[in-house]
């Protein structure tokens, strides 16, 4: 692998944004935190401070929730026609497209990811999400119900927005996770209090500016930057929030559930994963090796769906390991703003310590480091792409979510699909899995046996705005994207009319 860590110049448009004060968006106004506090935002590639943003807490959440409630109960948003909501959401997508290069640079600077990936995946995916979800604004329908009760009845259902929604998003895909949350909620008519991750608050702030430019009424979208244990906890426990949507770790997801119990607010959770990849002997190895490498090294391994447990049949195991090693060697480690970079830094010092701690644990428990396993440079949070062999399910690196560019490879000999499914399912998580084979019978049969919300065949980390996403077991509750996500943001009202 090659290494070149130097911060390129940023655009004048992005510089202008960074130089402005970073405040909270509450009821259509950018305001300081009630406490007056701010916190620093760091470039993970250089450890330099990029800017400072307002540090919101419970007092600010109270104001934002009140603003969201007023916007939901009355005013222009409550009276807006579905087609008008659809137009606004589509307009927001257009603005993202107009500022796509700036937003990609912002993601690369704030999160560390390669700017080329941010442009092609994060920004493009966010645009697609808003456009897809805008269409649902005019397609939310109830149904008439043929009832069997005596007498004459007209029975039907209607779908209504759930109300004020608290949305707490992670740091690994800051812009796209905001889009995943905002787009369906806005399309059905909810109002929102959004809290971005404290490590990566800048995309949400810029998105808030574009929300205003698109013409959304005041109070419909409120943005509170701050820390999870203060602002995030206040949103999750707030008695006037009707629903909370969270993406992040399973550990924090459990805290969200407890906090939400006070008023029994509705909860959706997209949490962690330890996703298996299963390679059969008949897989097209050139394609498979590139795909499985991308599955773990993409976004520096900071994906909840990262293919971190790789099971290859003994007939192809050595070729797969050699291929993964070769793919790792091709990666160019560098600053995310460098268009030549294909692997940036981890997002923070905390994440860097977590991943390097797992690498140390793997060595101590007997794992073989085939390639990588080291930190890179003396500044920034860089870690080499790493392949670990001679691993087993008793090791922490196999059981626990690392959230870094580290894959544990294991051979298997079984041809029985039940046995293969057993070790693929040997995890507390159930977010995703991939199967690599040319045998369609084998692919479909194994897909049925794997306990995961998403099963890919001959690909990994693929998605679409229309394609539902979520997990089994401790990977979460509910689904993002597709029509399924609308269930989280709507209530079903049943109306029974006795015809007399």
């Amino acid at each position: 692998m090659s290494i070149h860590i130097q911060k390129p110049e940023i655009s004048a448009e992005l510089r202008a944004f960074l130089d402005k004060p970073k405040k909270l968006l509450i009821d259509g106004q950018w305001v300081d935190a009630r406490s007056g506090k701010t916190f620093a935002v760091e470039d993970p590639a250089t450890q330099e401070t990029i800017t400072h943003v307002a540090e919101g807490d419970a007092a600010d959440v109270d104001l934002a929730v009140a603003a969201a409630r007023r916007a939901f109960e009355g005013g222009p948003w409550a009276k807006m026609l579905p087609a008008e909501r659809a137009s606004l959401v589509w307009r927001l997508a257009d603005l993202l497209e107009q500022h796509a290069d700036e937003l990609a640079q912002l993601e690369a600077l704030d999160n560390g990811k390669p700017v080329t990936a941010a442009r092609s995946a994060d920004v493009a995916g966010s645009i697609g999400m808003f456009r897809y979800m805008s269409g649902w604004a005019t397609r939310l329908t109830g149904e008439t119900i043929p009832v069997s009760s005596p007498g004459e009845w007209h029975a039907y259902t209607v779908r209504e927005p759930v109300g004020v929604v608290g949305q707490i998003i992670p740091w690994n895909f800051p812009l796209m996770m905001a889009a995943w949350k905002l787009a369906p909620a806005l399309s059905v008519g909810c109002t929102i209090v959004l809290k971005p991750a404290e490590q990566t608050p800048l995309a949400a702030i810029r998105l808030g500016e574009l929300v205003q430019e698109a013409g959304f009424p005041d109070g419909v979208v409120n943005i509170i930057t701050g820390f999870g244990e203060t602002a995030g906890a206040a949103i999750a426990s707030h008695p006037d929030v009707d629903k909370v949507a969270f993406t992040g770790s399973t550990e924090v997801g459990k805290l969200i559930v407890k906090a939400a119990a006070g008023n029994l607010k509705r909860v959706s959770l997209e949490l962690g994963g330890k996703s298996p990849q299963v390679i059969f002997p008949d897989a097209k190895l050139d394609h498979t090796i590139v795909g499985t490498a991308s599955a773990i090294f993409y976004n520096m391994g900071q994906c909840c769906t990262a293919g971190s447990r790789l099971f290859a049949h003994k007939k192809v195991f050595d070729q797969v390991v050699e291929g993964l090693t070769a793919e790792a060697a091709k990666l160019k480690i560098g600053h995310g703003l460098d268009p030549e970079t294909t692997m940036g830094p981890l997002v923070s010092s905390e994440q860097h310590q977590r991943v390097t701690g797992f690498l140390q644990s793997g060595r101590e428990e007997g794992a073989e480091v085939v390639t990588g396993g080291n930190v890179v440079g003396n500044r920034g949070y860089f870690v080499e792409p790493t392949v670990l062999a001679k691993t087993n399910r008793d090791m922490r690196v196999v059981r626990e979510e690392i959230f870094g560019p580290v894959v544990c490879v294991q051979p298997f000999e079984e041809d029985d699909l039940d046995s293969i499914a057993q070790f693929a399912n040997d995890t507390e998580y159930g977010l995703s899995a991939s199967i690599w084979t040319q045998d369609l019978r084998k692919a479909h049969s194994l897909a049925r046996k794997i306990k995961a919300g998403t099963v890919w065949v001959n690909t990994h980390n693929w998605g679409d705005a229309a394609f539902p996403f979520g997990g089994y077991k401790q990977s979460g509750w509910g689904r993002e994207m597709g029509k399924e996500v609308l269930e989280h943001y709507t209530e079903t009202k049943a109306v029974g009319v006795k015809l007399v």
Side-chain angles (χ1 to χ4, degrees):
M1 70 197 74
S2 60
I3 302 169
H4 179 67
I5 304 170
Q6 184 175 345
K7 182 178 177 180
E9 292 296 321
I10 61 175
S11 67
E13 187 179 27
L14 180 54
R15 172 52 60 195
F17 169 73
L18 293 175
D19 287 343
K20 292 189 297 186
K22 307 295 181 301
K23 301 186 178 185
L24 311 176
L25 178 59
I26 300 177
D27 204 14
Q29 303 297 315
W30 292 98
V31 297
D32 293 323
R34 292 290 297 275
S35 67
K37 293 181 180 179
T38 64
F39 63 96
V41 180
E42 186 181 36
D43 177 350
T46 65
Q47 299 176 248
E48 298 171 347
T49 296
I50 304 169
T51 187
H52 290 78
V53 303
E55 183 182 331
D57 58 25
D60 305 290
V61 169
D62 284 342
L63 293 175
V65 171
R69 178 60 62 189
R70 288 193 298 272
F72 181 74
E73 300 290 352
W77 186 249
K79 300 178 179 65
M80 194 170 288
L81 297 174
E84 294 173 320
R85 288 201 309 272
S87 180
L88 280 177
V89 175
W90 189 279
R91 170 64 177 153
L92 183 54
D94 286 345
L95 288 171
L96 262 66
E97 192 167 53
Q98 290 174 27
H99 297 278
D101 291 336
E102 176 200 355
L103 291 165
Q105 284 195 0
L106 185 58
E107 291 289 79
L109 184 63
D110 198 13
N111 167 271
K113 66 181 61 193
V115 68
T116 51
R119 181 66 176 84
S120 63
D122 299 58
V123 180
S126 299
I127 294 166
M129 182 60 63
F130 281 112
R131 286 183 174 153
Y132 171 80
M133 286 298 168
S134 72
W136 281 107
T138 57
R139 289 170 175 79
L140 278 180
T141 59
E143 59 183 0
T144 57
I145 304 170
V147 298
S148 299
S149 301
E152 292 189 57
W153 297 88
H154 175 46
Y156 63 95
T157 60
V158 293
R159 300 279 290 280
E160 299 178 343
V162 71
V164 175
V165 177
Q167 300 181 326
I168 304 171
I169 59 174
W171 46 256
N172 56 337
F173 293 92
L175 179 65
M176 191 156 62
M177 293 299 97
W180 280 25
K181 296 290 190 288
L182 288 171
L186 290 172
S187 294
V188 303
C190 295
T191 57
I192 297 153
V193 178
L194 176 75
K195 193 202 89 67
E198 54 264 32
Q199 297 88 346
T200 55
L202 299 182
I205 295 172
R206 185 69 182 103
L207 185 57
E209 294 180 344
L210 297 179
V211 164
Q212 291 186 298
E213 187 176 342
F216 284 85
D218 294 347
V220 173
V221 176
N222 305 273
I223 297 173
I224 303 295
T225 52
F227 292 86
E229 56 268 29
T230 51
I235 291 171
S237 63
H238 203 286
D240 204 27
V241 170
D242 300 302
K243 182 258 186 315
V244 62
F246 172 75
T247 296
S249 71
T250 296
E251 178 185 12
V252 175
K254 293 176 181 180
L255 297 176
I256 296 286
V257 172
K258 292 178 182 179
N263 67 337
L264 292 180
K265 60 173 62 68
R266 294 171 64 175
V267 177
S268 59
L269 305 168
E270 194 269 283
L271 306 176
K274 194 69 179 177
S275 301
Q277 302 192 76
V278 180
I279 303 176
F280 287 98
D282 67 331
K284 290 186 176 179
L285 284 189
D286 288 349
H287 169 80
T288 297
I289 287 168
V290 171
T292 54
S294 175
I296 185 60
F297 299 143
Y298 176 69
N299 206 47
M300 299 76 75
Q302 297 173 141
C303 300
C304 49
T305 55
S308 53
R309 294 185 300 138
L310 194 151
F311 303 98
H313 195 278
K314 65 176 184 177
K315 293 180 179 179
V316 295
F317 180 80
D318 290 342
Q319 291 171 269
V320 168
V321 173
E322 291 172 6
L324 286 173
T325 302
E327 289 300 310
K330 295 177 185 177
L331 294 169
K332 179 176 180 181
I333 298 175
H335 198 290
L337 285 171
D338 184 344
E340 299 300 316
T341 291
T342 54
M343 177 174 281
L346 299 173
V347 75
S348 65
S349 174
E350 179 184 9
Q351 190 62 17
H352 192 257
Q353 292 173 17
R354 175 183 176 85
V355 173
T356 54
F358 271 107
L359 291 173
Q360 180 62 29
S361 170
R363 288 186 174 97
E364 292 173 354
E365 293 182 329
E368 175 192 349
V369 180
V370 179
T371 189
N374 300 306
V375 301
V376 178
N378 55 14
R379 69 169 183 164
Y381 306 123
F382 296 92
V383 173
E384 292 177 330
T386 301
V387 178
L388 299 180
K390 297 182 179 178
T391 57
N392 61 71
R393 74 97 47 217
D394 294 326
M395 297 177 174
R396 287 185 61 226
V397 289
V398 175
R399 295 194 319 272
E400 301 179 29
E401 186 177 36
I402 299 173
F403 226 62
V406 182
V407 61
C408 298
V409 295
Q410 300 177 55
F412 69 92
E413 300 183 24
E414 297 86 348
D415 293 318
D416 174 61
L417 295 185
D418 286 330
S419 298
I420 295 168
Q422 186 174 6
F423 55 71
N425 291 331
D426 186 18
T427 172
E428 66 188 25
Y429 300 108
L431 190 58
S432 66
S434 58
I435 301 165
W436 303 80
T437 179
Q438 295 301 297
D439 186 332
L440 289 178
R441 181 200 64 80
K442 189 180 296 181
H444 288 298
S445 297
L446 183 57
R448 292 181 179 181
K449 298 176 186 296
I450 290 178
K451 296 177 181 178
T454 299
V455 179
W456 293 291
V457 178
N458 295 326
T459 190
H460 200 102
N461 283 337
W462 172 81
D464 186 90
F467 193 69
F469 176 77
Y472 287 23
K473 299 189 281 188
Q474 294 194 44
S475 286
W477 292 350
R479 295 294 179 267
E480 303 277 357
M481 302 197 294
K483 66 180 181 181
E484 284 80 2
V485 71
L486 303 175
E487 296 291 335
H488 299 315
Y489 295 107
T490 56
E491 293 280 14
T492 299
K493 178 181 288 182
V495 181
V497 181
K498 186 173 179 60
L499 302 178
V500 295

